[in-house]
Amino acid sequence: MRELGVPVIYTAHNIAEDCVADFYKLWKPIKDGAIKEGSPGADIYSGIYPLPTERVIRTKPAYCSFTGTDLDYVLRNLGVKTLIIAGTLTNFC
């Protein structure tokens, strides 16, 4: 996408400690900090790490990348009408 000049936007499922819903407390990996905001294991994989010029939405309180984030505003600002979604949680987003 970069070579074609298509904007690349990353989202990371990180949850701030003060925003964890009860749902996440019930799932052991999440309870143990698997996606805790700021933890090393919650960062984007180094092999596909964003360029400094690429937008990253790092904290989202749910699987959906639109809920509680500014992704909609970012896409509208870019004039985006079509999305290509890829990643390990694509089926949830």
Side-chain angles (χ1 to χ4, degrees), residues 12-33:
H13 192 159
N14 287 252
I15 300 176
E17 238 180 290
D18 61 350
C19 295
V20 179
D22 289 338
F23 169 77
Y24 296 108
K25 293 178 182 177
L26 300 174
W27 192 30
K28 185 165 174 39
I30 303 301
K31 183 178 181 180
D32 292 344

Side-chain angles (χ1 to χ4, degrees), residues 37-89:
E37 183 180 39
S39 66
D43 200 6
I44 297 169
Y45 174 66
S46 62
I48 59 166
Y49 207 78
L51 298 176
T53 57
E54 292 173 329
R55 184 68 156 89
V56 181
I57 295 172
R58 292 200 175 272
T59 303
K60 48 190 197 117
Y63 290 124
C64 177
S65 294
F66 290 94
T67 302
T69 73
D70 58 358
L71 179 58
D72 181 52
Y73 296 107
V74 171
L75 295 172
R76 287 175 192 260
N77 186 58
L78 291 170
V80 171
K81 302 287 184 202
T82 303
L83 297 177
I84 299 171
I85 301 172
T88 59
L89 289 175

